[in-house]
Amino acid sequence: MSNYYRKKIHSNELIATFDDVLILPGFTNFAPDEVDISSSLGKYHFNLPIMSSAMDTVTEELMAINMALHGGLGVLHRNCSYERQLEMCRIVKRARSFVIDDTHVATINPNAGVAKAKFMMENYNISGIVVTNENKKVCGIFTKRDIPFFEHDIQNGIVKDYMTKDVISIKPGTSREEALKILYKSRKEKLPIIDDQGYLKGLITKKDLAPEFPFASKDDEGHLLCALALSPKFPESSQNQELLKEIDTYVDIFFIDVADFYKKADIEGTEKLMKFLDSDFVLGNVGTYEAAEYLITKCDFLEEKFIALKVGMGSGSICTTSIQTGVGAPTLFATAQVADAITDYNSRIGLIADGGFKNPGDLPKAFAAGADLIMSGHFFAGTEESPGFIDNIAGRKVKVYRGMGSKEARTSGYISDRYTEGSKMLTEGVSNYVPYVGDVYGVLATLKEGLANGMIYAGAKSIQDMKKVSLGIISIVGSRETQPHDLIGKF
Ligand code: XMP
């Protein structure tokens, strides 16, 4: 606890939040392009230390795929059935695998009409279909280039008369490099994987082989990382237990998702889940040194699977927990407290600062207080990739953003155990509109720059260096001065 701010809050003298502090400028002895914003949690490395919240108006499969493609992580929400969770996880895991497995390859019978093949290609947004006979053996490939020119031929033509019969293919187990060579040599977009008996085993496409997203968060096999929020309650029915086991095969990290994890029942449920499932676990949320110390030193969590704590309580832009209950741990305060406990008891455990971020400049502050990654719903709820429709209010495009403790989210079914059990009337979140802000890439680019520039000013070359910079508490007058001021008119 070298720094003044951490000492001060450690004694609980001050429950401070982002706007209460500033990072003091530091000596910079590196070039701007040397700054490294990447970070790690357990064995996972992230080129972008940013996560999107497990909320039903923030992260479903589209957000999760895009967050991972850009080097961060989107945590799929849990306000839905296990069946829907399984579907989301499957889509994320298979999104960029370099092999599309046989159950997901679009196929067509050789006697089907050309019109049907054209319709399938347009609807699935693909450029070709593998042609398989009744015995599921490959007999050709039909691509957009094979579609006849005249409408009459499209309407009356049969696939087998137009398809390419001499299919260039590869055998199961062909390496990525070998597949790339064959693709470029043959000038093809797709290569079916066909076994010695002629059965279709999968498909690889040029698009998936070429790494358009060099910074993506991937597992060892090149699939996108997949994270899912989970209730700490062990599922009662054997059917749900089986579904959860299947979900486990797609997930890399489960995020135990409750407002306050420092609870006996939640801890015991999680200990059981950790033994039942193979994937890694992030536990949260917690808000104090004392809670983190207890979780790290007194519980029966499997050490190798317990990779991080998620912190912050009541700071989110849609949260009302602190107003409704008088209890809370603002994210910056919680980060500094829990970071100290991690330093004292097990520095292998990561820390995710969750919620309350309003401006890009809040990110460097969270890292300075001890975070390894940050999580936000607010930054992403208004993007193209969040679930829900773009609405229009007074000529402005908007999307709905709702707290998981809002009446709207809690009455939709599954999430009630995120909050104090048994409480039905007390909402702990609100639902409202946020401005539509375009695609997630644009938002991430701004956050990335704010973070990188903050690190340069602070003189920190890496996220680990950032944890050593000094934070100071700013006076109210000083804070006012950091905003634009003494201008004519409103800003
Ligand atoms: P931001 O500030 O990004 O915060 O909107 C998102 C985080 O807030 C948490 N969360 C809630 N907290 N009531 C709460 O007290 C709620 O209804 C609620 N919904 C989400 C969650 O940790 C999320 O990541």
Side-chain angles (χ1 to χ4, degrees):
M1 284 193 305
S2 56
N3 101 35
Y4 163 79
Y5 170 71
R6 278 212 209 161
K7 270 188 196 153
K8 207 167 161 63
I9 59 162
H10 188 87
S11 62
N12 293 349
E13 276 175 44
L14 177 75
I15 299 182
T17 188
F18 294 116
D19 289 348
D20 291 318
V21 302
L22 272 182
I23 298 166
L24 298 180
F27 177 59
T28 310
N29 61 357
F30 53 88
D33 63 356
E34 286 180 291
V35 72
D36 177 8
I37 62 167
S38 72
S39 191
S40 298
L41 276 192
K43 65 182 181 215
Y44 307 97
H45 187 73
F46 298 93
N47 284 302
L48 190 64
I50 301 176
M51 298 181 167
S52 62
S53 294
M55 299 171 72
D56 60 7
T57 49
V58 179
T59 311
E60 291 193 334
E61 54 269 52
L62 188 59
M63 180 67 77
I65 289 170
N66 278 280
M67 288 298 294
L69 284 176
H70 295 300
L73 191 72
V75 183
L76 296 162
H77 73 86
R78 67 178 180 96
N79 199 12
C80 55
S81 64
Y82 281 125
E83 284 84 355
R84 172 72 182 119
Q85 287 185 326
L86 175 61
E87 181 186 42
M88 292 196 287
C89 294
R90 214 184 252 149
I91 293 172
V92 173
K93 229 347 151 199
R94 289 179 173 168
R96 300 289 296 187
S97 78
F98 101 80
V99 175
I100 302 169
D101 74 36
D102 57 331
T103 50
H104 281 74
V105 180
T107 56
I108 195 162
N109 189 280
N111 295 315
V114 167
K116 180 177 174 189
K118 182 169 177 276
F119 177 82
M120 279 171 73
M121 285 192 274
E122 284 167 1
N123 268 272
Y124 301 165
N125 196 20
I126 52 174
S127 57
I129 312 177
V130 181
V131 187
T132 53
N133 64 20
E134 287 71 21
N135 303 323
K136 301 274 174 230
K137 288 197 177 186
V138 179
C139 51
I141 190 157
F142 185 90
T143 70
K144 278 190 176 161
R145 286 192 220 158
D146 299 318
I147 298 174
F149 188 74
F150 295 107
E151 190 57 32
H152 173 269
D153 296 334
I154 295 175
Q155 292 311 323
N156 300 299
I158 302 296
V159 165
K160 69 177 172 202
D161 298 332
Y162 292 89
M163 70 185 189
T164 304
K165 295 194 178 86
D166 190 12
V167 182
I168 297 178
S169 65
I170 52 172
K171 295 251 180 297
T174 305
S175 71
R176 186 176 178 278
E177 288 66 33
E178 188 58 24
L180 263 175
K181 266 194 219 156
I182 299 171
L183 272 172
Y184 283 114
K185 217 168 127 202
S186 62
R187 303 267 185 272
K188 299 281 181 216
E189 293 286 320
K190 293 176 189 299
L191 284 180
I193 304 168
I194 303 175
D195 71 8
D196 290 337
Q197 282 77 44
Y199 292 108
L200 181 66
K201 290 289 161 194
L203 183 80
I204 64 167
T205 71
K206 199 158 140 192
K207 191 179 85 203
D208 290 327
L209 272 175
E212 283 168 69
F213 295 94
F215 301 116
S217 309
K218 290 185 181 166
D219 63 21
D220 295 341
E221 289 164 15
H223 301 229
L224 293 181
L225 289 183
C226 176
L228 175 71
L230 193 63
S231 161
K233 268 190 167 174
F234 195 82
E236 280 169 14
S237 75
S238 58
Q239 192 196 353
N240 283 343
Q241 288 170 16
E242 272 169 37
L243 274 167
L244 193 51
K245 265 290 190 199
E246 197 179 344
I247 289 172
D248 192 25
T249 62
Y250 295 99
V251 168
D252 297 286
I253 314 174
F254 284 112
F255 279 63
I256 295 293
D257 173 53
V258 284
D260 171 24
F261 186 67
Y262 192 27
K263 278 204 238 80
K264 192 166 177 282
D266 290 351
I267 292 168
E268 286 171 0
T270 303
E271 286 168 346
K272 209 169 156 193
L273 282 166
M274 259 192 194
K275 287 177 189 134
F276 181 66
L277 300 167
D278 291 330
S279 305
D280 290 317
F281 279 70
V282 170
L283 311 181
N285 280 16
V286 291
T288 61
Y289 181 97
E290 182 201 8
E293 178 187 26
Y294 185 83
L295 296 177
I296 298 170
T297 62
K298 305 254 167 30
C299 300
D300 192 18
F301 299 129
L302 298 176
E303 172 139 14
E304 67 283 6
K305 290 191 195 169
F306 174 16
I307 62 167
L309 286 168
K310 188 154 72 69
V311 313
M313 193 177 160
S315 281
S317 59
I318 35 54
C319 298
T320 54
T321 295
S322 297
I323 296 174
Q324 297 280 55
T325 68
V327 179
T331 303
L332 189 79
F333 166 85
T335 301
Q337 287 249 327
V338 173
D340 282 342
I342 287 174
T343 308
D344 291 348
Y345 296 107
N346 188 348
S347 52
R348 202 189 46 77
I349 291 173
L351 192 159
I352 301 161
D354 174 18
F357 296 91
K358 296 189 293 292
N359 299 299
D362 294 338
L363 271 66
K365 292 177 186 177
F367 292 108
D372 293 293
L373 282 99
I374 72 101
M375 173 179 273
S376 172
H378 167 77
F379 287 137
F380 305 114
T383 60
E384 181 69 36
E385 291 83 354
S386 68
F389 297 102
I390 300 171
D391 221 328
N392 198 301
I393 296 184
R396 288 185 69 189
K397 287 182 176 177
V398 293
K399 287 186 97 166
V400 169
Y401 181 34
R402 67 187 192 189
M404 299 314 294
S406 64
K407 183 176 91 223
E408 291 80 356
R410 284 171 84 166
T411 48
S412 69
Y414 298 87
I415 198 92
S416 53
D417 62 356
R418 193 176 192 276
Y419 302 89
T420 306
E421 250 194 302
S423 103
K424 292 197 177 62
M425 303 300 283
L426 194 75
T427 57
E428 292 187 28
V430 294
S431 175
N432 211 322
Y433 289 108
V434 288
Y436 170 73
V437 290
D439 64 24
V440 80
Y441 177 69
V443 173
L444 290 174
T446 310
L447 296 178
K448 210 164 144 177
E449 259 187 44
L451 173 58
N453 290 2
M455 288 169 67
I456 294 165
Y457 284 129
K461 203 171 166 185
S462 67
I463 295 291
Q464 286 309 317
D465 290 347
M466 201 58 195
K467 294 184 184 180
K468 297 175 207 141
V469 304
S470 291
L471 281 166
I473 293 163
I474 188 164
S475 69
I476 293 172
V477 180
S479 169
R480 223 181 283 145
E481 213 173 78
T482 63
Q483 319 274 328
H485 55 87
D486 295 316
L487 304 169
I488 298 169
K490 282 191 169 179
F491 46 81

